[in-house]
Amino acid sequence: MDVGSYVVEKAKTASRAARILSNMGPNLKNRALDDMAEALQNNKELILQANKLDLDNAKKSGKGKAFIDRLELNQKRIDSMAGGLIKVASLPDPIGEVSKMWKRPNGLRIGKVRVPLGTIGIIYEARPNVTVDAAALCLKSGNSVILRGGKEAINSNVAIYNTINKAAVSAGLPEGAIEFIDITEREAVETLMKLNEYVDVLIPRGGRGLINSIVKNSTVPVIQTGIGNCHVYVDESADLSMAENIVLNAKTQRPAVCNAMETLLVHKNAAENFLPHLGKTLKSLGVEIRGCSETKKLIPYAKLATEEDYDTEFLDLILAVKVVNSLDEAMDHIYKYGTKHSEAIITNDYNASQRFLNEVDAAAVYVNASTRFTDGEQFGFGAEIGISTQKLHARGPMGLNELTTSKYVVYGEGQIRK
Amino acid sequence: MDVGSYVVEKAKTASRAARILSNMGPNLKNRALDDMAEALQNNKELILQANKLDLDNAKKSGKGKAFIDRLELNQKRIDSMAGGLIKVASLPDPIGEVSKMWKRPNGLRIGKVRVPLGTIGIIYEARPNVTVDAAALCLKSGNSVILRGGKEAINSNVAIYNTINKAAVSAGLPEGAIEFIDITEREAVETLMKLNEYVDVLIPRGGRGLINSIVKNSTVPVIQTGIGNCHVYVDESADLSMAENIVLNAKTQRPAVCNAMETLLVHKNAAENFLPHLGKTLKSLGVEIRGCSETKKLIPYAKLATEEDYDTEFLDLILAVKVVNSLDEAMDHIYKYGTKHSEAIITNDYNASQRFLNEVDAAAVYVNASTRFTDGEQFGFGAEIGISTQKLHARGPMGLNELTTSKYVVYGEGQIRK
């Protein structure tokens, strides 16, 4: 069978499974998730052996430390994946909720019911834990899932997939509830992106290159995740000690993630009291600063920022800084360079806080808090499949509810349209 | 300027306008809508003259009666467009609603606020009223809109657009709040479909060809509307007089629309008492019947249905009929041939009604009512931009709320992530 037909068959099976899953109550789904967790624990050795093959290949082909770290599994990480499954099992089932119901003058009663999306395709890179996390969230929300991980993790993923899929089917989930495409040729993804008949949505999880390529080429609807050129704006009225705490947290607590700050904007009236001390602290933490000419006056070791620096998601210990003349200039800067992910203002001025909340267009807008909170767990959703940076369907952290859609159920007594 | 650059400029202007519109209160938007209505009334003669050019061209090029009917304007239709604007102005403003707000253990308060999508592109065919209806709904929900109507209506559309846009800008809406692409070359649409930077969503309104071409080629997210291969299933327990009323309504009240019934499924135990009488009534109403062999025994004038008939959205006085052995067979048929638009069961059996509501996957599922009610007005939304047949973002009739998205606003007191 050629690659295309193989992928189509997998998608068909997943689509048939979706029909069964959509009407499955919470008990069976939760039992399957618990059994999958147990199976992961029981197959640890096998999974670690497979992972070792991937790690050896990665090292041989000269992959960097960050890459190896994302790829590597160990006892603790497998425990953590198993724990994730049990946690998802314990979350409330989103399916069947009637968000509203009303009666029309003609007597029709119309209800809006939460139902699964159907079949979800997840395209990801070298993190084998996505295989488990994504499957758990999709199944819990009544969807079947088609997984397609990166070729660098293929041995790990196959071992994990075989483990959890066997457990899921033994627990009573339909064949095809979890599909995994074990073909690493690019053609497999190209086929998947065109299967509108069987796949309801694609969620790419990975770097900008992966996401852009899928957005550009997929005819299946895509939910875009994860590109964050996030700003913190320190207003002239800010509590500067709070501002420094938040800036340090947003930049250095985990610089490689999408909700980390990339550019700091400082009101000119706060700059003199704020930047010199902050500059010293950032220097001691190994943060490179690229600032405007005003910044350079106050932080001598800063490099001069280019236009491109303000447009870059560094994902690293690099911070762009700009001194601005007003709240409006800060918001204009965010409008021009932001990616509508997470934006924060540090202020004690009521009007400034309200204007920022109302006028800045982003998935999450903060007053006096770190941008690092844009996260499903931190928002209280219990789990997260990613952070949507698009406006359609879901925006911001996506939990179980964001993996569902609705249908209208209409109760009549013979009504016809006049 | 070439076509591509011209369209990009329009989209940029619309995108800038969206930023202003998103923070505009209801009063100014409503005044603009009222002024647009008045301007339409004042410019009736001009618009009708322009429409006459389009009608003459359509007749010259041999367009059919249905096409001419969609294209034609008259005093009454212009009144109706103006009335639509006034009605949309009177609807509640959807923007700013906080659908939920909660407090996290760390003290962060997180609210989910309804905000506009941004810039909406509407691609449509020969109905000039869409120019007004779509602009009204997009503006009311705080979005800017880029309109691109079919070339056959270009004179009508330009006259209407100039009228309403002038009124909107005079009332205080920003330039670009309503953009109209007056270039009829296909290249204009091709450019628009790739402008992810400036356009947040495209909504095609028209036939299957238009919709499929946009879904296949657009990198901007698309909301698919309007393909409906809808079924009515008459269960063995149905009140047959109610069933006949509903079938007649769903097939004949307006056969050319997407929520009209295309296939009738009848339980074998109801067929003998139901089909012969129904067949006579349908014949008297000029409906052609294409049925299975069982149907032919009970409705002698019926033609034998092909596989293709069950797969066709006739949009005409043609009905496919199939006698089925069970509820399950009916639901399997709907699963195989349905387009997930609107599906109805006629039954007095509680379990059958519940199974149908739960198990049939469609935007709207009915018990004992006509599929013709799948419509924004009929659902009580006040207005409708179309009926979404996809699962992402919006499903079923789309009113003002479906032209919005959300953002999270987060109120802190210096919280940082540990």
Side-chain angles (χ1 to χ4, degrees):
Chain A
M1 201 187 290
D2 63 30
V3 173
S5 315
Y6 177 82
V7 173
V8 171
E9 278 312 308
K10 297 240 170 209
K12 275 188 188 169
T13 313
S15 175
R16 280 193 299 267
R19 189 181 172 197
I20 299 166
L21 280 167
S22 71
N23 283 290
M24 199 166 261
N27 293 347
L28 189 50
K29 290 188 292 190
N30 292 340
R31 201 176 73 207
L33 292 168
D34 287 337
D35 289 0
M36 287 156 67
E38 200 185 322
L40 276 181
Q41 301 280 16
N42 293 340
N43 279 290
K44 255 185 200 166
E45 285 314 314
L46 209 83
I47 293 167
L48 290 177
Q49 279 166 29
N51 186 240
K52 189 163 182 312
L53 292 177
D54 290 331
L55 287 171
D56 290 347
N57 289 336
K59 283 168 195 160
K60 255 182 251 164
S61 63
K63 297 285 182 192
K65 210 179 126 194
F67 187 94
I68 301 282
D69 179 61
R70 286 196 291 274
L71 179 59
E72 185 165 14
L73 293 176
N74 50 40
Q75 302 265 350
K76 206 178 138 198
R77 284 187 173 181
I78 295 179
D79 288 344
S80 161
M81 292 194 287
L85 284 164
I86 289 164
K87 178 158 189 205
V88 169
S90 76
L91 295 173
D93 194 301
I95 299 306
E97 179 203 356
V98 177
S99 62
K100 49 185 173 175
M101 190 152 190
W102 65 99
K103 197 166 178 177
R104 295 291 301 152
N106 63 4
L108 281 182
R109 280 174 304 133
I110 304 177
K112 190 172 188 180
V113 184
R114 190 183 290 285
V115 298
L117 281 168
T119 299
I120 300 175
I122 310 278
I123 300 176
Y124 53 109
E125 297 182 324
R127 303 174 88 112
N129 65 304
V130 175
T131 309
V132 174
D133 299 350
L137 291 167
C138 292
L139 292 179
K140 176 78 186 195
S141 49
N143 300 288
S144 65
V145 61
I146 303 173
L147 300 161
R148 209 288 189 171
K151 66 173 184 293
E152 296 85 355
I154 185 72
N155 294 294
S156 316
N157 284 335
V158 167
I160 292 170
Y161 170 70
N162 287 339
T163 301
I164 60 173
N165 187 50
K166 200 174 152 193
V169 171
S170 297
L173 295 196
E175 295 273 357
I178 319 173
E179 284 290 352
F180 179 80
I181 295 177
D182 53 4
I183 290 182
T184 56
E185 275 97 335
R186 203 177 142 67
E187 195 188 336
V189 174
E190 278 159 11
T191 304
L192 193 60
M193 289 191 291
K194 309 289 177 189
L195 292 181
N196 296 53
E197 196 180 343
Y198 305 115
V199 185
D200 294 285
V201 58
L202 286 182
I203 305 178
R205 286 190 51 173
R208 196 186 276 236
L210 173 78
I211 291 168
N212 286 347
S213 137
I214 290 172
V215 167
K216 283 227 168 70
N217 296 300
S218 181
T219 58
V220 174
V222 175
I223 297 180
Q224 256 182 286
T225 60
I227 297 170
N229 187 8
C230 305
H231 301 75
V232 173
Y233 165 58
V234 177
D235 190 35
E236 60 179 320
S237 70
D239 172 332
L240 296 185
S241 147
M242 180 199 285
E244 182 162 319
N245 277 337
I246 289 173
V247 166
L248 295 177
N249 185 256
K251 182 69 253 178
T252 67
Q253 196 247 355
R254 203 170 165 202
V257 292
C258 60
N259 55 21
M261 171 184 55
E262 304 295 1
T263 295
L264 169 68
L265 302 168
V266 182
H267 191 282
K268 61 175 180 189
N269 296 343
E272 208 167 322
N273 290 326
F274 183 61
L275 285 178
H277 187 270
L278 177 75
K280 281 178 202 149
T281 318
L282 286 172
K283 192 173 185 184
S284 73
L285 293 166
V287 178
E288 178 186 327
I289 293 182
R290 304 186 186 172
C292 63
S293 53
E294 288 305 307
T295 305
K296 276 184 66 66
K297 288 182 197 158
L298 299 165
I299 306 179
Y301 85 90
K303 296 180 185 164
L304 196 65
T306 63
E307 170 92 9
E308 203 194 331
D309 287 323
Y310 293 120
D311 206 24
T312 299
E313 190 189 15
F314 298 112
L315 297 173
D316 203 347
L317 288 175
I318 303 171
L319 178 66
V321 182
K322 190 175 185 194
V323 176
V324 295
N325 292 309
S326 64
L327 170 62
D328 279 296
E329 190 184 338
M331 293 197 295
D332 285 344
H333 183 100
I334 292 170
Y335 177 74
K336 184 168 177 191
Y337 296 103
T339 55
K340 301 183 201 282
H341 190 297
S342 300
E343 308 293 353
I345 183 172
I346 318 303
T347 188
N348 277 322
D349 181 300
Y350 176 77
N351 283 321
S353 73
Q354 298 306 301
R355 281 198 62 201
F356 196 87
L357 288 175
N358 289 334
E359 295 178 32
V360 171
D361 182 24
V365 187
Y366 293 82
V367 178
N368 295 346
S370 170
T371 55
R372 288 277 295 112
F373 287 108
T374 305
D375 173 278
E377 290 280 355
Q378 295 296 325
F379 270 34
F381 299 166
E384 169 187 294
I385 191 98
I387 295 168
S388 165
T389 49
Q390 68 180 37
K391 292 185 176 178
L392 235 57
H393 186 70
R395 196 175 194 203
M398 292 189 290
L400 290 172
N401 282 355
E402 285 67 33
L403 297 178
T404 66
T405 182
S406 60
K407 75 176 173 191
Y408 290 106
V409 293
V410 187
Y411 297 81
E413 300 111 23
Q415 282 87 345
I416 58 171
R417 188 151 166 199
K418 307 279 188 263
Chain B
M1 201 187 290
D2 64 30
V3 172
S5 315
Y6 177 82
V7 172
V8 171
E9 279 311 309
K10 296 239 170 210
K12 274 189 188 169
T13 312
S15 176
R16 278 194 299 266
R19 190 180 171 198
I20 299 166
L21 280 167
S22 71
N23 284 291
M24 198 166 262
N27 292 350
L28 188 52
K29 291 188 292 188
N30 291 340
R31 200 178 73 205
L33 292 168
D34 287 338
D35 289 358
M36 288 155 67
E38 199 185 321
L40 277 181
Q41 300 280 18
N42 293 341
N43 279 291
K44 256 184 197 165
E45 285 315 312
L46 208 82
I47 294 167
L48 291 177
Q49 278 164 27
N51 185 241
K52 189 163 181 308
L53 291 177
D54 289 330
L55 287 171
D56 290 346
N57 288 337
K59 283 169 195 159
K60 255 183 248 163
S61 63
K63 297 285 183 192
K65 206 178 129 195
F67 186 95
I68 300 282
D69 179 58
R70 286 197 291 275
L71 179 59
E72 185 165 13
L73 292 177
N74 51 41
Q75 301 265 351
K76 205 178 139 199
R77 284 186 173 181
I78 295 178
D79 287 343
S80 161
M81 293 193 288
L85 284 165
I86 289 164
K87 179 160 186 200
V88 170
S90 75
L91 294 173
D93 194 301
I95 298 307
E97 180 202 357
V98 177
S99 63
K100 49 185 173 176
M101 190 150 190
W102 65 100
K103 195 167 179 176
R104 295 290 301 151
N106 62 3
L108 282 183
R109 282 175 300 133
I110 305 178
K112 191 172 188 180
V113 184
R114 189 182 290 286
V115 298
L117 281 167
T119 299
I120 301 176
I122 310 278
I123 301 175
Y124 53 108
E125 296 182 324
R127 303 173 87 113
N129 64 305
V130 175
T131 309
V132 174
D133 299 350
L137 290 167
C138 292
L139 292 180
K140 176 79 187 194
S141 50
N143 299 288
S144 64
V145 61
I146 304 173
L147 300 161
R148 209 286 188 173
K151 67 172 183 292
E152 297 84 354
I154 185 71
N155 294 295
S156 315
N157 284 335
V158 167
I160 292 170
Y161 170 69
N162 287 339
T163 301
I164 61 173
N165 187 51
K166 198 174 154 196
V169 172
S170 298
L173 295 196
E175 295 275 355
I178 319 171
E179 283 289 352
F180 180 80
I181 295 177
D182 53 5
I183 289 181
T184 56
E185 275 97 335
R186 205 180 139 65
E187 195 190 336
V189 174
E190 277 158 12
T191 304
L192 193 60
M193 289 191 291
K194 308 290 178 190
L195 293 181
N196 297 53
E197 197 181 341
Y198 306 114
V199 185
D200 294 284
V201 57
L202 287 182
I203 306 178
R205 288 190 53 173
R208 196 185 277 235
L210 173 77
I211 291 168
N212 286 346
S213 137
I214 289 171
V215 168
K216 283 227 167 70
N217 297 301
S218 180
T219 58
V220 174
V222 175
I223 297 180
Q224 257 181 286
T225 59
I227 297 170
N229 187 8
C230 305
H231 301 75
V232 173
Y233 165 58
V234 177
D235 189 36
E236 60 179 320
S237 71
D239 173 332
L240 297 184
S241 146
M242 180 199 285
E244 183 163 319
N245 277 336
I246 289 174
V247 166
L248 296 177
N249 186 256
K251 182 68 251 180
T252 67
Q253 196 247 352
R254 203 171 163 202
V257 291
C258 59
N259 57 19
M261 171 182 57
E262 304 294 0
T263 295
L264 170 68
L265 303 168
V266 182
H267 192 284
K268 63 177 179 187
N269 296 343
E272 209 167 322
N273 290 326
F274 183 61
L275 285 178
H277 187 270
L278 178 75
K280 279 178 204 147
T281 318
L282 286 172
K283 192 172 185 186
S284 74
L285 293 166
V287 177
E288 178 185 327
I289 293 182
R290 303 183 187 175
C292 64
S293 54
E294 288 306 306
T295 304
K296 277 185 61 70
K297 287 180 197 158
L298 299 165
I299 306 180
Y301 85 90
K303 294 181 185 163
L304 196 63
T306 63
E307 170 91 8
E308 203 196 328
D309 286 324
Y310 293 121
D311 207 24
T312 300
E313 189 190 15
F314 298 112
L315 297 173
D316 202 348
L317 287 176
I318 303 172
L319 179 67
V321 182
K322 190 176 185 193
V323 176
V324 295
N325 292 308
S326 63
L327 170 62
D328 279 295
E329 190 184 338
M331 293 197 295
D332 286 344
H333 184 99
I334 292 170
Y335 177 74
K336 185 169 177 190
Y337 298 103
T339 55
K340 303 184 200 284
H341 189 298
S342 300
E343 308 292 352
I345 183 173
I346 318 302
T347 188
N348 277 322
D349 182 301
Y350 175 77
N351 284 320
S353 73
Q354 298 306 301
R355 284 200 59 203
F356 195 88
L357 287 175
N358 290 333
E359 296 179 31
V360 171
D361 182 24
V365 188
Y366 293 83
V367 179
N368 295 345
S370 170
T371 55
R372 288 278 294 113
F373 287 107
T374 305
D375 173 276
E377 289 279 354
Q378 296 296 322
F379 270 35
F381 298 167
E384 169 187 294
I385 193 98
I387 295 167
S388 165
T389 50
Q390 69 181 37
K391 292 183 177 179
L392 235 56
H393 185 72
R395 197 175 192 202
M398 292 189 290
L400 290 172
N401 282 354
E402 285 67 32
L403 297 179
T404 67
T405 181
S406 59
K407 75 175 172 191
Y408 291 106
V409 292
V410 187
Y411 297 81
E413 300 110 25
Q415 282 86 345
I416 58 170
R417 190 150 165 200
K418 306 277 185 266

